[in-house]
Amino acid sequence: MKETTERYVKAMAEALESKKGQDIEVLKVSELTSLTEYFVICTATSTTQVKALADEVEFRLKKDFEVAPHHIEGHDSASWILLDYGFALVHVFLESARTFYGLEKLWKDAAPVDITTL
C-alpha cells in the first residue's frame, strides 16, 4: 500500500506542476498525526487557477487510478481548496491565503518529501 500511496502523491504533485502550480511542497505528516499521511501544498496566482489546479488533481487521480477524494472544501470561495483523499490532503491556495494559514510553519516538524524520489 505504501508504494501505491506514494504513486498517488507523486501524481498529485505532477498534476499541480502540469497546470503551473507554484511552490509545490509535499510533507510527510504520518509521524505527527493520524489524520493523513501526506500534505501536498501548492500556490495559485488567481482564483481561476486555484480551481483549475484542484480540478486537475481530481481528474488525474480519477482517470489514472480510479481514486476520488472523500471530501472537497472551499470550491465556492476558491482562495483555498482542500481535497481530502484520506491518505493525503491536497491544499491549493492563493498566495495570501497560504501565507495567512502558514501550514508549513504549523507542521514544521513534518518531513519534506522530494517527489522525484517517490
Side-chain angles (χ1 to χ4, degrees), residues 7-19:
R7 284 181 42 216
Y8 296 162
V9 170
K10 184 174 185 171
M12 291 169 170
E14 289 173 346
L16 295 168
E17 284 179 342
S18 76
K19 292 292 181 182

PDB file of all heavy atoms in Angstrom, residues 7-19:
ATOM      1  N   ARG A   7       2.797   6.622  -5.175  1.00  0.00           N
ATOM      2  CA  ARG A   7       2.476   6.875  -6.592  1.00  0.00           C
ATOM      3  C   ARG A   7       1.373   7.908  -6.717  1.00  0.00           C
ATOM      4  O   ARG A   7       1.420   8.788  -7.580  1.00  0.00           O
ATOM      5  CB  ARG A   7       2.065   5.569  -7.284  1.00  0.00           C
ATOM      6  CG  ARG A   7       3.221   4.668  -7.601  1.00  0.00           C
ATOM      7  CD  ARG A   7       2.840   3.379  -8.302  1.00  0.00           C
ATOM      8  NE  ARG A   7       1.846   3.556  -9.337  1.00  0.00           N
ATOM      9  CZ  ARG A   7       0.893   2.674  -9.605  1.00  0.00           C
ATOM     10  NH1 ARG A   7       0.784   1.561  -8.923  1.00  0.00           N
ATOM     11  NH2 ARG A   7       0.033   2.887 -10.578  1.00  0.00           N
ATOM     12  N   TYR A   8       0.361   7.809  -5.864  1.00  0.00           N
ATOM     13  CA  TYR A   8      -0.739   8.769  -5.886  1.00  0.00           C
ATOM     14  C   TYR A   8      -0.240  10.173  -5.546  1.00  0.00           C
ATOM     15  O   TYR A   8      -0.616  11.149  -6.191  1.00  0.00           O
ATOM     16  CB  TYR A   8      -1.832   8.385  -4.890  1.00  0.00           C
ATOM     17  CG  TYR A   8      -2.562   7.096  -5.155  1.00  0.00           C
ATOM     18  CD1 TYR A   8      -3.277   6.487  -4.135  1.00  0.00           C
ATOM     19  CD2 TYR A   8      -2.545   6.472  -6.397  1.00  0.00           C
ATOM     20  CE1 TYR A   8      -3.973   5.305  -4.343  1.00  0.00           C
ATOM     21  CE2 TYR A   8      -3.229   5.284  -6.611  1.00  0.00           C
ATOM     22  CZ  TYR A   8      -3.945   4.708  -5.579  1.00  0.00           C
ATOM     23  OH  TYR A   8      -4.629   3.535  -5.780  1.00  0.00           O
ATOM     24  N   VAL A   9       0.586  10.273  -4.513  1.00  0.00           N
ATOM     25  CA  VAL A   9       1.105  11.571  -4.086  1.00  0.00           C
ATOM     26  C   VAL A   9       1.971  12.177  -5.190  1.00  0.00           C
ATOM     27  O   VAL A   9       1.872  13.370  -5.481  1.00  0.00           O
ATOM     28  CB  VAL A   9       1.870  11.440  -2.747  1.00  0.00           C
ATOM     29  CG1 VAL A   9       2.623  12.718  -2.416  1.00  0.00           C
ATOM     30  CG2 VAL A   9       0.898  11.080  -1.627  1.00  0.00           C
ATOM     31  N   LYS A  10       2.786  11.357  -5.826  1.00  0.00           N
ATOM     32  CA  LYS A  10       3.610  11.856  -6.932  1.00  0.00           C
ATOM     33  C   LYS A  10       2.711  12.348  -8.070  1.00  0.00           C
ATOM     34  O   LYS A  10       2.955  13.400  -8.659  1.00  0.00           O
ATOM     35  CB  LYS A  10       4.547  10.765  -7.435  1.00  0.00           C
ATOM     36  CG  LYS A  10       5.490  11.254  -8.513  1.00  0.00           C
ATOM     37  CD  LYS A  10       6.510  10.202  -8.893  1.00  0.00           C
ATOM     38  CE  LYS A  10       7.488  10.798  -9.892  1.00  0.00           C
ATOM     39  NZ  LYS A  10       8.620   9.917 -10.147  1.00  0.00           N
ATOM     40  N   ALA A  11       1.652  11.609  -8.369  1.00  0.00           N
ATOM     41  CA  ALA A  11       0.717  12.015  -9.418  1.00  0.00           C
ATOM     42  C   ALA A  11       0.026  13.327  -9.062  1.00  0.00           C
ATOM     43  O   ALA A  11      -0.210  14.174  -9.936  1.00  0.00           O
ATOM     44  CB  ALA A  11      -0.316  10.919  -9.666  1.00  0.00           C
ATOM     45  N   MET A  12      -0.273  13.522  -7.796  1.00  0.00           N
ATOM     46  CA  MET A  12      -0.881  14.785  -7.351  1.00  0.00           C
ATOM     47  C   MET A  12       0.059  15.953  -7.633  1.00  0.00           C
ATOM     48  O   MET A  12      -0.345  16.969  -8.203  1.00  0.00           O
ATOM     49  CB  MET A  12      -1.193  14.728  -5.851  1.00  0.00           C
ATOM     50  CG  MET A  12      -2.296  13.797  -5.479  1.00  0.00           C
ATOM     51  SD  MET A  12      -2.351  13.571  -3.682  1.00  0.00           S
ATOM     52  CE  MET A  12      -3.900  12.694  -3.530  1.00  0.00           C
ATOM     53  N   ALA A  13       1.305  15.802  -7.211  1.00  0.00           N
ATOM     54  CA  ALA A  13       2.289  16.870  -7.414  1.00  0.00           C
ATOM     55  C   ALA A  13       2.523  17.121  -8.900  1.00  0.00           C
ATOM     56  O   ALA A  13       2.627  18.276  -9.334  1.00  0.00           O
ATOM     57  CB  ALA A  13       3.596  16.515  -6.710  1.00  0.00           C
ATOM     58  N   GLU A  14       2.582  16.076  -9.683  1.00  0.00           N
ATOM     59  CA  GLU A  14       2.783  16.234 -11.130  1.00  0.00           C
ATOM     60  C   GLU A  14       1.589  16.922 -11.781  1.00  0.00           C
ATOM     61  O   GLU A  14       1.756  17.729 -12.701  1.00  0.00           O
ATOM     62  CB  GLU A  14       3.062  14.878 -11.777  1.00  0.00           C
ATOM     63  CG  GLU A  14       4.435  14.338 -11.417  1.00  0.00           C
ATOM     64  CD  GLU A  14       4.673  12.915 -11.897  1.00  0.00           C
ATOM     65  OE1 GLU A  14       3.694  12.216 -12.291  1.00  0.00           O
ATOM     66  OE2 GLU A  14       5.839  12.490 -11.859  1.00  0.00           O
ATOM     67  N   ALA A  15       0.388  16.624 -11.313  1.00  0.00           N
ATOM     68  CA  ALA A  15      -0.808  17.292 -11.842  1.00  0.00           C
ATOM     69  C   ALA A  15      -0.747  18.791 -11.548  1.00  0.00           C
ATOM     70  O   ALA A  15      -1.064  19.620 -12.411  1.00  0.00           O
ATOM     71  CB  ALA A  15      -2.070  16.682 -11.237  1.00  0.00           C
ATOM     72  N   LEU A  16      -0.317  19.137 -10.349  1.00  0.00           N
ATOM     73  CA  LEU A  16      -0.182  20.549  -9.985  1.00  0.00           C
ATOM     74  C   LEU A  16       0.889  21.229 -10.837  1.00  0.00           C
ATOM     75  O   LEU A  16       0.694  22.354 -11.302  1.00  0.00           O
ATOM     76  CB  LEU A  16       0.144  20.690  -8.495  1.00  0.00           C
ATOM     77  CG  LEU A  16      -0.957  20.225  -7.541  1.00  0.00           C
ATOM     78  CD1 LEU A  16      -0.427  20.142  -6.113  1.00  0.00           C
ATOM     79  CD2 LEU A  16      -2.176  21.125  -7.616  1.00  0.00           C
ATOM     80  N   GLU A  17       1.993  20.548 -11.051  1.00  0.00           N
ATOM     81  CA  GLU A  17       3.060  21.097 -11.900  1.00  0.00           C
ATOM     82  C   GLU A  17       2.571  21.320 -13.324  1.00  0.00           C
ATOM     83  O   GLU A  17       2.914  22.317 -13.966  1.00  0.00           O
ATOM     84  CB  GLU A  17       4.263  20.158 -11.930  1.00  0.00           C
ATOM     85  CG  GLU A  17       5.113  20.189 -10.695  1.00  0.00           C
ATOM     86  CD  GLU A  17       6.286  19.217 -10.763  1.00  0.00           C
ATOM     87  OE1 GLU A  17       6.278  18.280 -11.601  1.00  0.00           O
ATOM     88  OE2 GLU A  17       7.219  19.390  -9.966  1.00  0.00           O
ATOM     89  N   SER A  18       1.769  20.402 -13.827  1.00  0.00           N
ATOM     90  CA  SER A  18       1.305  20.483 -15.216  1.00  0.00           C
ATOM     91  C   SER A  18       0.420  21.705 -15.473  1.00  0.00           C
ATOM     92  O   SER A  18       0.311  22.164 -16.601  1.00  0.00           O
ATOM     93  CB  SER A  18       0.556  19.210 -15.611  1.00  0.00           C
ATOM     94  OG  SER A  18      -0.750  19.191 -15.060  1.00  0.00           O
ATOM     95  N   LYS A  19      -0.195  22.216 -14.427  1.00  0.00           N
ATOM     96  CA  LYS A  19      -1.054  23.402 -14.545  1.00  0.00           C
ATOM     97  C   LYS A  19      -0.382  24.639 -13.956  1.00  0.00           C
ATOM     98  O   LYS A  19      -1.030  25.600 -13.586  1.00  0.00           O
ATOM     99  CB  LYS A  19      -2.407  23.164 -13.860  1.00  0.00           C
ATOM    100  CG  LYS A  19      -3.281  22.140 -14.554  1.00  0.00           C
ATOM    101  CD  LYS A  19      -3.736  22.672 -15.887  1.00  0.00           C
ATOM    102  CE  LYS A  19      -4.640  21.670 -16.578  1.00  0.00           C
ATOM    103  NZ  LYS A  19      -5.053  22.130 -17.890  1.00  0.00           N
TER     104      LYS A  19
END
